Amino acid sequence: MDERTVWVFTGSQERQRSAFPSGVFSTQATAEEWIAHHGLSGTLTMYRVDAGAYDWAIQNGYFRPKEPRDSTPDFIAHFSGGDIHFHYESGRRVA
C-alpha cells in the first residue's frame, strides 16, 4: 500500500504562542531546508494523509488504549502519533 504523507512543523512548546503548526511540507528535505533557513526550534512530524494519527497507531500496533480515558474524544483529539518525528534547535536537528 502506498501511503501519502506530509511533514508538519510545530514550534517548541516553551516558545510557542499558538497551538497550530507553522508549516506543512510534502517532503522532509523541503521542511528541513525551511527550518534551517529560519533557524527554527521545534518538532517535524510525519503524518499520513486521510488517516487519523490515533486510528493509524492502533491499526499498526504502535498504540493500545490501556485506560478508559485513552479512548475519549479529548484524548483522541490531542493524540499526535509521532512514530516518525525529529527535533530541532536553532535550525539544526538534535538527537
Side-chain angles (χ1 to χ4, degrees):
M1 181 177 169
D2 186 28
E3 291 182 324
R4 292 181 304 145
T5 60
V6 293
W7 291 87
V8 178
F9 181 79
T10 306
S12 297
Q13 293 291 49
E14 63 269 7
R15 299 179 191 161
Q16 190 170 338
R17 290 186 284 257
S18 170
F20 299 105
S22 55
V24 179
F25 303 88
S26 60
T27 68
Q28 180 181 357
T30 302
E32 289 184 327
E33 286 175 20
W34 182 75
I35 292 165
H37 175 76
H38 292 288
L40 303 177
S41 297
T43 305
L44 182 64
T45 305
M46 186 193 77
Y47 287 95
R48 283 97 187 152
V49 174
D50 296 330
Y54 178 86
D55 296 331
W56 188 92
I58 290 173
Q59 291 167 359
N60 290 277
Y62 287 95
F63 179 75
R64 186 179 63 201
K66 294 182 178 86
E67 303 175 23
R69 72 171 183 85
D70 294 350
S71 298
T72 63
D74 186 58
F75 185 88
I76 294 168
H78 292 92
F79 188 91
S80 64
D83 59 307
I84 300 178
H85 65 271
F86 302 99
H87 299 276
Y88 299 81
E89 287 294 329
S90 301
R92 294 189 175 143
R93 190 188 312 178
V94 294

